[in-house]
């Protein structure tokens, strides 16, 4: 039995240790915000935070997570449903097309902004490797800059 | 287009005639369609299920608008309700939406649409629904006004509306739509067409509307097909035969069945070689209690494959076959004047060959489908672009009557034409029928890359004859390709060319001696519609060739295009997106992008600007691209300017998104994407060897422009793409002198510069 937290709630899983976190989230915990796109760590659609860092849930065996803190897109907004500044910036810039990659993009962007509160375009290019088949990259870039501004202005 | 073909068995009963008003259980006013014999009505249906859900005004003045089209990221869940809300005259912020399931009704003459045509293909949603959805909104408004007039004992022409309210100035009365709902619902639907607003008084159409689902998307709550979860649901994957048209000889599932959670393993029979595809391939299905268990079970299978009839197929041989064909004579599909005579007397002849590869759709959400097949009917929940096709596919593999098959469309993580075909729906239904339980079939990314209806691949030979002024007097395009109508039922051999060469495309009607010729290349690779279908190939070829002619004759590529496109007039256009094509609208866009990118400025060595423009499905687009090419052939896209004329603009933010997305799709595909075949198997398998473009490869300097035209919109899903590739390769030529004649660009520049 593996015990860890997801979005600040304790959870447990007693299936095979080598089950990727992604499928534990999706099939067992019914948290479907993290998406399956490639299963090999290439697309970022499954990006979640483990211990505060962005990681691809499809390549992470749940067995390695005992005691870990996992944050998914569902846990990003505040308890009252108040959006995280990155989510707000995504709305302001009208980023999504099909939207499928966006939970992963947002989780990656939150991680970037925690390391680089005022990222340059080059920082964004280096860090944001998540794929978007719809080609929303132009607006993603803008939304990250906007989110940086929102975060700078928000008390925390 | 594909969409037309697929709905032709449905009989349009005349939509207006079917509008009826009613009252919902909650006291709202609802305008919709009678349900007739349809068994699958959604719970919102009013009047004991007699009305299919459509537009509802709730007692709290909130408005719910049904969306019949499938959302694949093209924005219909935002743009379609805008059309209704405009004429209904409500606050856009009060509007929410409800995705409607497939609505087909059985009539004596076959199946009819219940809500109007439902499908996402050929960029048709906004053009097909432009008048119809506004009329629906206007009719509802008219009924609300009539209800108010009755209440105030005045005539409707004494009343006007403000968003959500009916007002009678002379009597000093106002009433909310909600308060009038019950009275409006009791009125007969008025005969005749309602008056529609002048464009100048639009309040919603033409204004920027953000994506309706954005909040659900950014919080992870948006529901895609892959997110479907139903009680008792099993999970399935299929190991499909990796050989084109191969089959299962035998398999050993003893290890697979030991995987915890695996419930069942059985074969799935694919179509026979050459037969129409209901599903794509033969294989082994694994049913389990979770997705991962099913995937692990698949890993543990031992399968012996029959390599099938295409085991010798290889991409290099495909190109040799195409070259051999071009040495002969093909099917002449258009001929104007006399190409041979004109070419024979020409001052100069320019010729070039171009190659366009197979490509994969790669929607971000791999295929999946929930199916619950019972004795008496079936429930299907799927990300699909063509729900009526899903219903047909399920009927074909289960034998159930279509009226007993309920199809719900979820949001789809992209479509790009892949989900026009419902093979994965048929597979899910086959599995559910076999196990007698609800199941969600999940494709892996590897499944999706290896099993697709790929964009057709072909070799184009272009030839132009020039007079002594460098004017083009004769033009021919000869294409040897594996076309997308391969194995499609009811297509005659002589019609196979039609989706590969659109015979009225530029320069038809402009160059007087024209010949267009097609040759069929044999291949076992499945083919289908890929965003902007053959326009992606033909724009690349034609717009590259124009630059080659300009170069050969010492002319400026922009000036040459402007001259050829000529003055503002309509030319007849018989293919999808017609009936007319006005090449001058391309000139307008070209001049715009050329000015923005400062086309006339001299660039330093290693820098260059390229232009291209194309007409696709009623819309016009142009791209200007600036690149730099380093001394070892390193390519950098420095700047992109894109412009579109899609007629009247419904949602500028949505148009802009599609133009950005189409442009980036064009860039991604031109730079790196190619599907190849080796010994009868697709060589690529996932994003490590099918490398979609990332954010870092999109220039910061990226601008989009919308140049509206007239009073009718054209769809935006596809036009943003075709002209990007040739603008890029034209820029590369100007920067480096290297002419790219084969896509993708890949490492060609480095190789050419090394050579
Ligand atoms: S699904 Fe995890 S990186 Fe693609
Ligand atoms: S929005 Fe569709 S994949 Fe990114």
């Amino acid at each position: 039995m593996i015990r860890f937290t997801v979005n600040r709630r304790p959870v447990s899983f007693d299936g095979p240790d080598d089950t990727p976190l992604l499928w534990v989230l999706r099939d067992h915990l019914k948290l479907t915000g993290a998406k399956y796109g490639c299963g090999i760590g290439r697309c970022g659609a499954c990006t979640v935070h483990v211990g505060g860092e962005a990681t691809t849930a499809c390549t992470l065996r749940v067995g390695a997570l005992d005691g870990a803190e996992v944050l998914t897109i569902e846990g990003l907004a505040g308890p009252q449903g108040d959006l995280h500044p990155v989510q707000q910036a995504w709305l302001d810039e009208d980023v999504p097309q099909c939207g499928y990659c966006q939970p992963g993009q947002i989780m990656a962007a939150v991680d970037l902004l925690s390391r680089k509160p005022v990222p340059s375009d080059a920082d964004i290019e280096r860090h944001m490797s998540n794929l978007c088949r719809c080609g929303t990259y132009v607006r993603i870039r803008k939304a990250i800059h906007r989110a940086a501004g929102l975060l700078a202005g928000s008390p925390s | 287009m594909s969409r037309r073909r697929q709905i032709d068995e449905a009989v349009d009963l005349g939509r207006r005639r079917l509008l009826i008003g009613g009252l919902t259980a909650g006291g709202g006013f609802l305008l919709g369609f009678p349900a007739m014999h349809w068994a699958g009505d959604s719970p919102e249906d009013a009047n004991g299920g007699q009305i299919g859900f459509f537009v509802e005004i709730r007692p709290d003045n909130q408005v719910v608008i049904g969306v019949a089209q499938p959302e694949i990221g093209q924005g219909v869940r935002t743009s379609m309700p805008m059309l209704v809300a405009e004429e209904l005259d409500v606050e856009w912020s009060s509007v929410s939406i409800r995705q409607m399931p497939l609505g087909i009704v059985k009539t004596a003459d076959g199946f009819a649409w219940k809500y109007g045509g439902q499908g996402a293909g050929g960029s048709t949603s906004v053009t097909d629904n432009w008048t119809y959805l506004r009329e629906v909104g206007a009719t509802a408004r008219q009924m609300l006004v009539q209800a108010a007039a009755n209440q105030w004992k005045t005539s409707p022409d004494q009343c006007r509306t403000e968003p959500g309210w009916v007002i009678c100035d002379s009597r000093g009365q106002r009433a909310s739509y909600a308060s009038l709902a019950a009275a409006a619902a009791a009125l007969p639907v008025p005969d005749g067409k309602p008056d529609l607003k002048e464009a100048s008084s639009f309040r919603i159409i033409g204004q920027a509307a953000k994506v309706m689902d954005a909040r659900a998307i950014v919080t992870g709550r948006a529901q895609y097909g892959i997110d479907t979860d139903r009680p008792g649901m099993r999970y399935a994957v299929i190991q499909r035969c990796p050989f084109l048209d191969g089959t299962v000889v035998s398999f050993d599932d003893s290890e697979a069945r030991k995987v915890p959670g695996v419930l069942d393993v059985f074969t799935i029979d694919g179509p026979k070689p050459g037969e129409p595809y209901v599903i794509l391939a033969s294989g082994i299905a694994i049913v389990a209690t979770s997705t991962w268990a099913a995937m692990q079970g698949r890993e543990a299978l031992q399968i012996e494959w029959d390599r099938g009839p295409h085991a010798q197929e290889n991409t290099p041989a495909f190109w040799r076959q195409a070259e051999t064909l071009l040495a002969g004579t093909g099917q002449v599909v258009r001929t104007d004047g006399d190409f041979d005579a004109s070419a024979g007397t020409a001052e100069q002849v320019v010729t070039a060959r171009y190659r366009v590869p197979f490509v994969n759709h790669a929607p971000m959400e791999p295929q999946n489908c929930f199916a619950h097949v019972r004795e008496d009917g079936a429930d299907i929940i799927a990300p699909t672009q063509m729900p009526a096709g899903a219903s047909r596919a399920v009927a074909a593999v289960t034998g159930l009557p279509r009226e007993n098959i309920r199809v719900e469309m979820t949001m789809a993580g992209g479509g790009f034409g892949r989900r026009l075909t419902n093979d994965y729906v048929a597979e899910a239904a086959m599995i559910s029928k076999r196990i007698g339980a609800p199941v969600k079939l999940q494709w892996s990314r590897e499944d999706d890359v290896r099993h697709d209806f790929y964009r057709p691949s072909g070799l184009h030979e272009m030839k132009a004859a020039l007079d002594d002024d460098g004017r083009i007097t004769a033009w021919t395009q000869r294409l040897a390709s594996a076309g997308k109508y391969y194995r499609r039922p009811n297509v005659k051999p002589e019609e196979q060319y039609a989706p590969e060469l659109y015979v009225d495309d530029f320069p038809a009607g402009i160059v007087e001696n024209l010949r267009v010729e097609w040759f069929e290349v044999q291949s076992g690779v499945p083919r289908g519609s890929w965003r902007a279908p053959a326009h992606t190939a033909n724009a690349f070829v034609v717009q590259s060739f124009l630059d080659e002619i300009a170069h050969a004759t010492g002319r400026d590529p922009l000036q040459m295009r402007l001259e050829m496109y000529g003055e503002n007039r309509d030319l007849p256009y018989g293919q999808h997106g017609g009936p007319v094509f006005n090449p001058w609208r391309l000139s307008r866009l070209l001049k715009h992008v050329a000015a923005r990118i400062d086309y006339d400025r001299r660039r330093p060595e290693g820098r260059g600007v390229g232009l291209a423009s194309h007409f696709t499905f009623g819309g016009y687009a142009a791209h200007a691209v600036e690149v730099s090419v380093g001394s070892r052939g390193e390519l950098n896209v420095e700047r992109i300017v894109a412009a579109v004329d899609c007629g009247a603009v419904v949602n500028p933010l949505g148009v802009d998104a599609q133009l950005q997305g189409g442009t980036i799709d064009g860039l991604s595909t031109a730079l790196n994407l190619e599907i190849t075949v080796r010994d009868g198997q697709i060589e690529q398998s996932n994003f490590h060897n099918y490398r979609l473009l990332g954010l870092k490869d999109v220039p910061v300097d990226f601008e989009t422009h919308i140049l509206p035209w007239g009073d009718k919109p054209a769809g935006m899903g596809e036009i943003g793409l075709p002209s990007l590739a040739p603008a890029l390769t034209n820029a590369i030529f100007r920067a480096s002198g290297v002419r790219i004649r084969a896509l993708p660009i890949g490492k060609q520049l480095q190789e050419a510069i090394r050579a």
Side-chain angles (χ1 to χ4, degrees), chain A residues 20 26-27 30 32 35-38 40 73 81 87 92 94 96-100 133-135 137 139 141, chain B residues 210-211 215 218 224 226-227 229 291-292 361-362 364 414 416 444-445 653 656-657 661 664-665 686 693 698 700:
Chain A
R26 295 186 55 83
D27 287 356
K30 310 293 182 194
T32 55
K35 301 299 187 208
Y36 167 72
C38 70
I40 59 166
I73 188 77
Q87 290 170 311
D92 295 345
D94 199 42
Q97 287 185 32
C98 83
Y100 192 79
R133 176 67 178 85
C134 298
Y137 299 126
R139 291 187 185 178
R141 194 191 285 273
Chain B
K210 290 184 174 166
V211 171
R215 200 179 174 95
V218 304
Y224 297 83
I226 195 172
D227 303 327
D229 185 27
T291 313
W292 184 245
H361 293 88
M364 211 66 213
F416 312 105
S444 67
R445 175 58 57 193
L653 265 180
D656 180 61
I664 290 170
D665 198 355
N686 202 322
L693 202 72
V698 175
V700 176

Side-chain angles (χ1 to χ4, degrees), chain B residues 579-600:
Chain B
V580 294
F581 161 47
N582 179 350
W584 180 84
R585 289 168 68 179
L586 293 174
S587 290
R588 187 173 71 123
L589 296 171
L590 273 176
K591 283 190 263 183
H592 191 86
V593 296
R596 290 296 312 172
I597 209 158
D598 205 358
Y599 176 79
D600 291 327

